[in-house]
Each structure stands twice: as C-alpha cells, then as structure tokens.
Amino acid sequence: MTITALIVAAGSGSRMGGDTPKQFRPIGGTALLARAVDAMTSHPAIDAVHVVVGPDQRALAEAALAGRDVGSIVTGGATRADSVRAGLAAIGEDGIVLVHDAARPFCPPAVIDRLIAALKDADGAVPVLAVADTLATGRGKLDAMVARDGLLRVQTPQAFHVEDLRYALGQSGKASATDESSVMVAAGLKVATVEGDAMLEKITTADDFARAEALAAGRLVVRTGMGFDVHAFEGDGPIMMGGIEIAHERGLAGHSDADVVLHAITDALLGAAGEGDIGQHFPPSDPQWKGASSDRFLAHAAALVRGRGGLIDHVDCTVICEAPKVGPHREAMRARVAEILVIPLPAVSIKATTTERLGFTGRGEGIAAQAIATVRLPG
Ligand code: CTP
Ligand code: MG
C-alpha cells in the first residue's frame, strides 16, 4: 500500500508576523517546511512527499526545498481544507496519506509508526496529548472553568485512508476546520488516537519560533573531518601558506595558489559536513580557479557548514616540511585562518613537523599538510 505524506504549507503565518511566512523561515539554517519534509522522507515507510503552498509562495518553497526529493509542489487554497483538497488531487486514488503541518518541524519517526499501525482498524489516526493546564473561558477575567477531563490536544501528522479523507472533505462544507480529523469525525468516520509527542508542538507565535530555535541548537551533533594536501616545489618563491605570503627560495606548483594549509583545512571542513572534497567544489580543470586565492575555497566550506545551521568549533593543521620554517609565521597564519573562518583565534591551531629528512618532504620535494576540523551540525 502506498503511503504518501502531504505537507500543508499554504498559510500566511499571521499570528507569527514578519515578512516571510513562518514555514519558510529557517531555524538552525533549515526552513520549517524543509524540516517537516525531511522528517517524512527519512521515514522508511513513506513513499513520496508532496507539498502544498500558497499561489505566491512557490519561489519561497523552491528555495526552502532546494536539493530535496519532493514529489510535487501544489498550489493550495484560502482555507486549510482547500489546501488539503488541492494536495489530494496530486496523489493516488487509494493508499494512506499523512497530512502534516509545515509548522511542526520536529516529527519523531515513532509517531509515524504508531499512526500507520492504528490505521489497521480505523479510518484515520491522530497523535494526541492530554491537557496539562487548567482550562477556563474568559476575557480579562475568568468566566467559567472548563473540565479538562477527557480533553485532548490533537497534533499532526494525521493518517487517513485516502478514500475516506476524500469522502469526508467532499461531505464537509465547513471552511473553518483547523484539521482533517475534525472533518473525518463530522462525516461519521472512525479516527483512532495514538500517543502524540511534545516535539510535535506547532509553531504559531514568535515565542514558539524562538523556543524551536533553541531546541534545534541543542540538537546539533559533533562531527569531525580530516583533510590532507601536498604541493610540489617548482620555480621561485614566495609561497602562500595559511593564507599569508611567506618568503622562500622555491615556489609551489599548483592550479590555484597552492596553499597546502588552506586546502587541508577546507577538505577537513567539507569532510565534517559530508560535502565531498575540494576538487569537487573547485575542479582543477575549471579555468576560473587558475591562480585562485585559496581563502575563497576555505570561506566556501565555512559557508556550507553555516548554511546547514552548523557551527565551526575548531580546526587543527599540521604542516609537514623541512623548509621554510613555520614557527615564525604560525601566529600570522592562525590569525588569517581565524579571520577567513570567522571563528576566535583559540579555535585555530597550526603546528609543524619535519619528517627527519625521510620521504618526499624530507628530500625537500614539496610540502604536505594535514588538518582536522570539529563542527556541530543539525543531527
Ligand atoms: N495552512 C495551509 N493552507 C491554509 C492555511 C494553513 O496549508 N489556507 C497550513 C499552514 O501553512 C500550516 C498549517 O496549515 O503549516 C497549520 O496552520 P497554522 O498554524 O494556522 O498556520 P497559518 O495559517 O500560516 O498561521 P496563522 O493562522 O497564524 O495565519
Ligand atoms: Mg491558520
């Protein structure tokens, strides 16, 4: 049976405010919509994900979802039910559909498992949480207390057999439905409840958004990457090393400026981010990188990490050569690397060693450098 996720993201986010609707705003570098999509595509039971956005939101959605495997981006309607109807038109006649709010960026996979299991003997299934606070009516002063016994908070994703949801939406004339389970219940269909999750809290206000940002920052995981680079001596100096010019009788051969330190650190950052290597990003065959200043490569790797909501904690590099002497230039190299990466000086380490005259560096044929980078990225 095909299981499709439908992410509704056609709202205007009026309660949250701001220029860009909340679903397209990033937390920890990733838009709410993209996080909602990722939670669905990463679940093994889900076959396809479709997204519903407003008529003037297509460009925002495409930017937020760049590089992601989305079945289609459908134009939604003025009400949520209209948006879901439009989304259903893009998916098959039968199977299971999980309707999910883009405004709920953290969906634990276990909730999806529970919903799918519950559909075995129900027309629909929703995650619910009990109400913990005392409930009342009133405005400015309390009018009456409301018994909270038996009251449930209904979250998304909500799972339905596609035909049942189509039928229920066809029956419903109510434009004000805030979710699909209410439409299903109004149509007399059976909607089971499963345990919801505090992580599924919907982002409605600016305060909710700030809390979600803090949550995303706390979920960063530490990753390390290593880099290694070699350039052969050729012609006359000076050479570039660690982003600074160093006087030396020999020059270094290379397509770019042959800065082994910046290249090794760039590769270490790309490695930590799982983003391939420097040759993929800046192919030596591409004439535009001929003689290029390597600080551009390093800045690009840093931007990649930050663009994914990551933080660069530390880089450490060992230069391997007999000459030139690195010691006198170490602090200037550290300062330049820290400047390019926009991280504090203590977060950069530059070391050097000889190889006791052994091997190609020992024979003075070239310079090698190895580096390790520690970053934190969204898990
Ligand atoms: N939604 C939708 N189509 C609509 C209205 C809402 O697809 N016509 C989506 C929203 O994008 C959101 C989800 O339904 O992902 C839950 O709605 P809500 O939190 O109310 O979001 P908004 O309607 O955007 O916010 P607000 O009500 O504050 O304007
Ligand atoms: Mg709304």
Side-chain angles (χ1 to χ4, degrees), residues 212-223:
E213 273 186 314
L215 200 62
R219 293 193 345 149
L220 296 178
V221 294
V222 174
R223 300 227 188 278

Side-chain angles (χ1 to χ4, degrees), residues 26 51 86 99 103 141 143 145 156 173 201-202 221 230 241 259 290 308 314 356 363 367 375:
V51 172
V99 182
K141 73 168 196 39
D143 285 338
M145 309 316 284
T156 82
E201 224 53 81
K202 182 159 71 76
V221 294
V230 172
M241 202 197 285
D259 189 323
K290 188 164 170 48
R308 287 186 31 200
H314 187 251
E356 301 291 343
R363 290 189 296 272
I367 302 184
V375 307

